[in-house]
Amino acid sequence: MKTWHEIRGFPLAIRLLLVNQLGVNTGFYLLVPYLATHLGQDLGMSAAVVGIVLGVRNLSQQGLFLIGGSAADRLGARGVIITGCALRTAGFALFALGDGLAVLLAASALSGLAGALFNPAVRAYLAEEAGERKAEAFALFNVFATTGALIGPLLGSALLLVGFRASALTAAAIFALLTVAQALVLPARPAAPGRGGVLADWREVLANRAFLAFSLAMVGMFTMENQLYLLLPDGARRATGWDGVAGLVFLAGTLANLGLQLRITRALKDRGSRGGRGGRGSRGAWVAAGLALMGLSFLPPMAAAGAEGNVLGLLPVLGGALLLHLGVMVAQPFVMEMIPGFGRRPGLTGTYFGIFYAVSGIAAALGNALVGWAMDAGGRDGTQWLPWACCAALGLASASGVAWLHRLRALPVATV
């Protein structure tokens, strides 16, 4: 009840953005996890061609986050959000309507460009609308996003019984509805007048050494969070021999997120506020603690690695998944709250989010490649603990980096 009361306390625009993120993740995850299977098995494409199609989507999204962030600053976040959702509607519809390589590449490019546009724009809009309640707004944003990430694969599995085309059309319909809702409900906000050109904005942000150091230190969070879809499900399947067990990993984390996210964020924020300076100085400490907890979450599964076919071996994996979700719940809202605070002048919130997600996206891709290599090497050499150890080390390294920046007072002590 407290969660719903908190939601009602925000203006209509923020409530729509929360529902928007639920729909975005539902539509995305009901289609994308099954795309490679469709391309390879249904359309008979080679693994190399499948990799190219998927790579185009990743490259167009990760490589254009900066464009999306700058567009939000210069043109207004509302229009960029609407454009991004409309483009994803078109991209997912193309996946349903076309089987040729050229059409599929166009669909991947449009889908990636859409994410590059609305991801930083939504966060910039949310940060501006939430005012002093940024942490609570981003905590709720995380709840809705996690719920969508659970609903999406479940809905996608059901729709695949009809066919991939039904999944793609359903995903496109979800984004079409979101586009209409945003056009009708989101109020327009005038963009802040810029000084100089877009390149000047980029130079200003890239010259902010504290922000760049923070972005690099946060690499571990995104790499570890991605293991909810790679390493942890694989560990659960190995422990039980049941492919469907991965759903329990998602379900346990989602239920924990729904019940605890807002309570954790409010408790930590209130505790920091009692510590003086509005609690702003404690934000870096909470982020470091959350990252450390995320790193430590990989130790229980690492201790049980190699115990295949033992149902009891699922318990350390589930425990690790819950600890990982808990670390995300501690750190993520304060990370999102702090990013606008790095700006030295108003009107660059979107650019800061764009660069942050570009850096983290590229780094997370490299981190996933490292984890994948460690999984393969562990399978060959009998060192199944190796990928878990890599994730734990990465998490503790990221936590140390943020803690170091916190001690240097390099992190923002106020949000804007």
Side-chain angles (χ1 to χ4, degrees), residues 41-190:
Q41 295 184 5
D42 298 341
L43 302 184
M45 293 183 173
S46 67
V49 175
V50 172
I52 291 173
V53 173
L54 298 179
V56 166
R57 191 199 67 79
N58 288 328
L59 182 62
S60 59
Q61 178 162 314
Q62 306 296 348
L64 296 176
F65 271 134
L66 184 53
I67 302 296
S70 293
D73 291 335
R74 292 282 171 162
L75 304 176
R78 176 184 180 272
V80 177
I81 294 170
I82 294 171
T83 301
C85 274
L87 287 176
R88 181 149 289 179
T89 301
F92 282 3
L94 281 178
F95 278 127
L97 302 176
D99 295 337
L101 180 59
V103 174
L104 293 171
L105 289 174
S108 288
L110 284 175
S111 300
L113 174 59
L117 290 175
F118 64 66
N119 279 344
V122 163
R123 286 157 179 80
Y125 196 108
L126 192 69
E128 294 294 336
E129 287 288 313
E132 290 299 312
R133 300 175 66 197
K134 289 182 179 64
E136 291 91 339
F138 280 111
L140 289 170
F141 193 80
N142 190 26
V143 169
F144 278 77
T146 303
T147 304
L150 174 68
I151 295 173
L154 297 177
L155 180 58
S157 297
L159 288 170
L160 282 178
L161 297 176
V162 180
F164 179 82
R165 199 176 302 275
S167 296
L169 288 175
T170 301
I174 291 173
F175 278 96
L177 289 174
L178 293 176
T179 304
V180 173
Q182 292 156 4
L184 294 175
V185 175
L186 282 184
R189 296 286 185 260

Side-chain angles (χ1 to χ4, degrees), residues 1 25 54 101 114 145 155 169 202 226 234 245 256 278 310 312 336 361 368 375 384 407:
M1 292 299 293
N25 275 17
L54 298 179
L101 180 59
L155 180 58
L169 288 175
W202 295 354
N226 282 344
D234 181 76
V245 74
N310 181 1
L312 292 178
M336 297 294 103
N368 276 343
M375 291 172 67
Q384 287 88 351
R407 286 195 299 270

Side-chain angles (χ1 to χ4, degrees), residues 214-225:
F214 179 73
S215 298
L216 291 173
M218 292 307 303
V219 162
M221 186 178 81
F222 292 92
T223 300
M224 291 186 292
E225 197 173 3

Side-chain angles (χ1 to χ4, degrees), residues 212-285:
L212 291 182
F214 179 73
S215 298
L216 291 173
M218 292 307 303
V219 162
M221 186 178 81
F222 292 92
T223 300
M224 291 186 292
E225 197 173 3
N226 282 344
Q227 302 321 306
L228 290 168
Y229 310 103
L230 177 62
L231 185 57
L232 285 163
D234 181 76
R237 284 190 293 267
R238 289 178 181 274
T240 63
W242 177 39
D243 289 341
V245 74
L248 293 178
V249 176
F250 296 127
L251 179 61
T254 301
L255 293 177
N257 187 278
L258 288 172
L260 298 175
Q261 174 67 87
L262 190 58
R263 295 180 184 182
I264 289 172
T265 301
R266 292 176 66 182
L268 294 179
K269 185 176 180 180
D270 291 344
R271 183 175 179 182
S273 297
R274 291 194 297 271
R277 290 171 56 188
R280 303 300 186 188
S282 64
R283 300 303 199 259

Side-chain angles (χ1 to χ4, degrees), residues 70 171-172 287 296:
S70 293
V287 172
L296 293 174

